Amino acid sequence: MVVLGRRTQAPKPLSRSQIVDDDSDSASDSEYGDVSCEECGSGDSPAELLLCDGCNCNRGYHLFCLRPILVHVPKGKWFGPCCSKNKKPKSFPLHQTKISDFFRIKRSAESLQKINQDNRKRRRRASSLVMSKKKRRLLPFSPTEDHTRRMQQMASLATALTATGTKFSNELTYRPRMAPRSANCAALEQGGMQVLSKEDIETLNLCKSMMDRGECPPLMVVFDPQEGFTVEADKFIRDLTIITEYAGDVDYLKNRENDDGDSMMTLLSAANPSKSLVICPDKHGNIARFVNGINNHTPDGRKKQNLKCVRYDVNGESRVLLIANRDIPKGERLYYDYNGYENEYPTEHFV
């Protein structure tokens, strides 16, 4: 098993020799000695070679040869492409009541249309003010005007969340027996944390209120056999637009060191490691968990980055935002760098 890879900061994975007991080394060598990867044909890197748990199968696959790739050995039984029954996930029904219930949208379509018009007027008035300032401000996302298209966007996210067993949440959630909200103190950040300005906090709150009313970001979640679930821009997105906030359950990093989740995000990197926090989107989360990472080991991989992941002090609490770092045309997939200053998240085999 390979230990947790944490987005923005990740420990290096353990080798098999570090996690197999000394007295079972010979058995492990025997088990893996004659196994080759079904994809590349090599038996190299045995610590990253998975055996299919299908009946009388035991075919081998490298973590990095699988598509989508795996960054760690999963817990429990694992079935390779040879025995897997997984198919393209079933689409969430394109039904307004079901979508409204899923995302807990309470307003009627008529009131939404009126709010859309009011917000567009506000955004047009605000845009000239933003451009006139020397210091550039964050911009709110601009929802798709077509109500049916917005329904399709939300249905695509509901499909991905349902397929991964995740309950929708657009907020940081604090669960019993995890870190309490009082632990999220931005002042504990090692080296300090940049403070989100009053104007940008208002923009962030506008984005949240739009989502609460059913005005989602112009994004489409699609399933790709190479990358798994991934996110595409469904209309032109301007540089410095707030795409989404990273949401999920907040927990102490010390409680998650051996967790097999690969979507955890650093929330607070405290000088005292026992107070460091992570966001865990496996039970509760939003579209952020489906935005893929770049291969930051290659120039072509780095060119794909069109988002930046930034942690801000928002009214004394740490929050994580995904923000466009350049203009993004419609149809382009969204990517950001999973690594922070430690540069240790294993992205060398990313597509």
Side-chain angles (χ1 to χ4, degrees):
M1 183 181 298
V2 179
V3 298
L4 159 71
R6 181 165 42 113
R7 293 183 181 181
T8 75
Q9 297 174 359
K12 293 181 179 179
L14 297 177
S15 67
R16 183 169 295 276
S17 62
Q18 290 176 286
I19 43 183
V20 177
D21 293 337
D22 292 339
D23 58 359
S24 62
D25 281 347
S26 58
S28 177
D29 292 342
S30 175
E31 179 184 3
Y32 281 84
D34 298 328
V35 176
S36 297
C37 175
E38 296 292 317
E39 297 295 330
C40 69
S42 169
D44 296 340
S45 305
E48 300 186 39
L49 192 61
L50 282 175
L51 294 182
C52 176
D53 289 315
C55 183
N56 299 321
C57 181
N58 285 332
R59 291 186 176 94
Y61 297 88
H62 284 122
L63 296 174
F64 48 81
C65 287
L66 292 166
R67 291 295 181 266
I69 71 164
L70 296 178
V71 296
H72 54 72
V73 178
K75 292 180 180 178
K77 289 187 176 182
W78 175 82
F79 299 96
C82 49
C83 297
S84 176
K85 297 181 180 178
N86 293 331
K87 299 180 181 180
K88 185 176 180 180
K90 183 179 179 181
S91 296
F92 194 85
L94 194 63
H95 188 281
Q96 180 166 337
T97 301
K98 291 182 180 294
I99 291 175
S100 296
D101 290 344
F102 188 92
F103 292 103
R104 299 186 294 279
I105 299 168
K106 298 180 180 179
R107 292 183 178 270
S108 66
E110 291 76 16
S111 62
L112 281 177
Q113 290 175 358
K114 184 178 186 302
I115 293 169
N116 288 346
Q117 295 171 355
D118 293 342
N119 281 336
R120 283 197 295 273
K121 292 177 182 177
R122 281 202 296 270
R123 283 196 292 273
R124 282 197 290 269
R125 289 196 294 268
S127 62
S128 61
L129 296 175
V130 171
M131 297 304 292
S132 67
K133 292 179 180 291
K134 291 183 179 180
K135 184 177 179 181
R136 301 181 69 188
R137 302 295 184 186
L138 299 182
L139 303 175
F141 62 79
S142 178
T144 301
E145 295 183 13
D146 186 287
H147 177 70
T148 300
R149 189 61 177 177
R150 286 208 310 269
M151 292 274 290
Q152 293 171 344
Q153 293 164 358
M154 287 188 285
S156 74
L157 174 56
T159 297
L161 291 170
T162 302
T164 54
T166 307
K167 185 176 181 180
F168 173 74
S169 174
N170 226 21
E171 307 283 347
L172 294 178
T173 48
Y174 299 89
R175 317 296 296 179
R177 296 182 294 280
M178 295 187 188
R181 184 166 186 170
S182 59
N184 185 3
C185 178
L188 299 176
E189 175 72 14
Q190 185 174 11
M193 183 179 294
Q194 58 182 315
V195 178
L196 196 64
S197 69
K198 179 180 178 181
E199 294 85 352
D200 288 343
I201 291 177
E202 291 176 353
T203 300
L204 176 61
N205 289 337
L206 172 59
C207 290
K208 285 186 169 294
S209 64
M210 286 192 291
M211 187 65 195
D212 289 342
R213 296 191 298 260
E215 298 179 78
C216 59
L219 306 172
M220 192 73 73
V221 184
V222 298
F223 185 80
D224 183 280
Q226 296 287 314
E227 299 184 75
F229 286 112
T230 186
V231 181
E232 295 179 351
D234 204 38
K235 65 179 291 188
F236 175 80
I237 298 175
R238 293 177 58 190
D239 182 22
L240 287 183
T241 295
I242 296 176
I243 301 298
T244 188
E245 178 177 350
Y246 211 94
D249 297 334
V250 177
D251 202 0
Y252 289 108
L253 172 62
K254 62 186 179 181
N255 295 341
R256 299 284 180 154
E257 288 285 10
N258 296 314
D259 198 297
D260 69 343
D262 63 356
S263 298
M264 278 189 245
M265 171 66 70
T266 297
L267 176 63
L268 185 66
S269 183
N272 181 349
S274 68
K275 296 185 178 181
S276 292
L277 302 175
V278 289
I279 304 171
C280 311
D282 51 331
K283 302 296 183 184
H284 302 85
N286 62 2
I287 199 169
R289 70 165 295 181
F290 302 114
V291 179
N292 284 331
I294 63 168
N295 182 334
N296 61 3
H297 293 261
T298 66
D300 287 341
R302 289 190 289 271
K303 288 178 183 177
K304 293 167 68 174
Q305 181 171 354
N306 49 23
L307 301 183
K308 58 182 177 180
C309 176
V310 188
R311 289 183 293 140
Y312 286 106
D313 178 339
V314 181
N315 297 325
E317 294 183 341
S318 178
R319 306 266 283 275
V320 182
L321 305 184
L322 296 183
I323 301 168
N325 66 354
R326 61 171 171 81
D327 289 346
I328 305 173
K330 179 180 178 180
E332 183 171 302
R333 290 187 177 176
L334 305 186
Y335 294 94
Y336 68 100
D337 191 347
Y338 283 178
N339 284 282
Y341 58 83
E342 290 182 341
N343 267 333
E344 292 181 356
Y345 195 93
T347 67
E348 62 269 22
H349 299 294
F350 279 20
V351 175

